[in-house]
Amino acid sequence: MSGREVGRAADVCVVGLGPTGRALAHRAMAAGMRVVAVDPRPHRLWAPTFSCWVDELPQWLGHGAIASRIEAPAVWTTSEHRIPRPYCVLSKQGLFDALPLDDATVIAGRARTVEAHRVELADGTEVRAATVFDTRGQATPGARRTASAHGIFVDEDIAAPMVTAGEGLLLDWRDENGAGPDDPPSFLYSVPLGDGTVIFEETSLGLRGGMPQHELRRRTLNRLAAHGIRLRGDEPTEAAHYPLDEMPPKAGRGAVIPFGSRGGMMHPITGYCVADSLALVDTALDAVQRGADPIEALWPWQARLVYWMRMRGVYGL
């Protein structure tokens, strides 16, 4: 492919095919746009576990994208509280299958240069498009305010003393993780995944530079031991480590459009991003079709004010 030019007549180029980018490319294709999508591994299933409130999902996304549903997730402080709002874990395969790219030009490659109307790949291939969306996620957080989590996947029967099918711990702040009174705090997140397993994930939010994985794992194991749960030690795991403070982009036509977590759409306190990004895909594409600025459509002054207020919460956290 070296030196080849692709997509001169394309309406949209999407760089990065995580859930956000794939949804953007899928909805652009469904709207009749000519789409080119670029990703180093476009057919790879995503690694992280994605969850959200059910009412946050856009209506165009089918129920097959949901792997498990929790009608009233629990929050533990000094006692148990129930949130009467349905919560769900998304199915990785179901979400992937709900966002087909059959009529798009999908290129397996790594973007080296991303400009307003041009993307150059590492092998020299150039992609041309009227509008370029950058949905590649974020860089390593360094010393920024960070979300860190270590998740352990446990069989449902072993997890039953803490979490059973249809139940979930959204935030568990009980004093069971072995942290000292002067140590940075963390909480447990635990939900059934709909595949016979439950994830137990100790999570730290807002700490500069984040919390090390070995410390998060130690705290998770302490919590499980407090409920009589002993693991084999070879259970699958997942790790999360990403910045929470990505700022919304400045408006301005004729620029690359950062979207998803790269475009400031991550909730800076909770670290949630996917559902909001899915819900805003059509807003961005409608602006493209109208010849308006998608960044301005995505970030009116009210949304920027909400972001500013949430950042005050991050500083407090």
Side-chain angles (χ1 to χ4, degrees), residues 73-93:
V75 172
W76 270 91
T77 53
T78 55
S79 60
E80 184 185 45
H81 308 270
R82 292 280 177 167
I83 301 176
R85 184 183 181 189
Y87 184 82
C88 69
V89 178
L90 297 177
S91 164
K92 298 175 190 179
Q93 189 66 60

Side-chain angles (χ1 to χ4, degrees), residues 38-56:
V38 176
D39 189 273
R41 296 181 179 180
H43 306 296
R44 179 182 59 177
L45 203 60
W46 309 300
T49 300
F50 301 112
S51 307
C52 63
W53 301 106
V54 173
D55 57 33
E56 290 181 310

Side-chain angles (χ1 to χ4, degrees), residues 12 24 27-28 31 33 133 259 280-294 297-298:
V12 170
L24 193 59
R27 292 297 287 174
M33 299 185 191
F133 286 91
F259 193 84
L280 288 169
V281 161
D282 285 355
T283 299
L285 295 174
D286 176 68
V288 170
Q289 290 183 304
R290 291 186 291 105
D293 179 9
L298 292 166

Side-chain angles (χ1 to χ4, degrees), residues 110-128:
R110 188 174 301 278
R112 180 168 59 194
T113 303
V114 180
E115 299 174 346
H117 309 294
R118 171 183 169 274
V119 177
E120 181 182 341
L121 306 188
D123 68 356
T125 299
E126 287 194 357
V127 178
R128 301 277 181 169

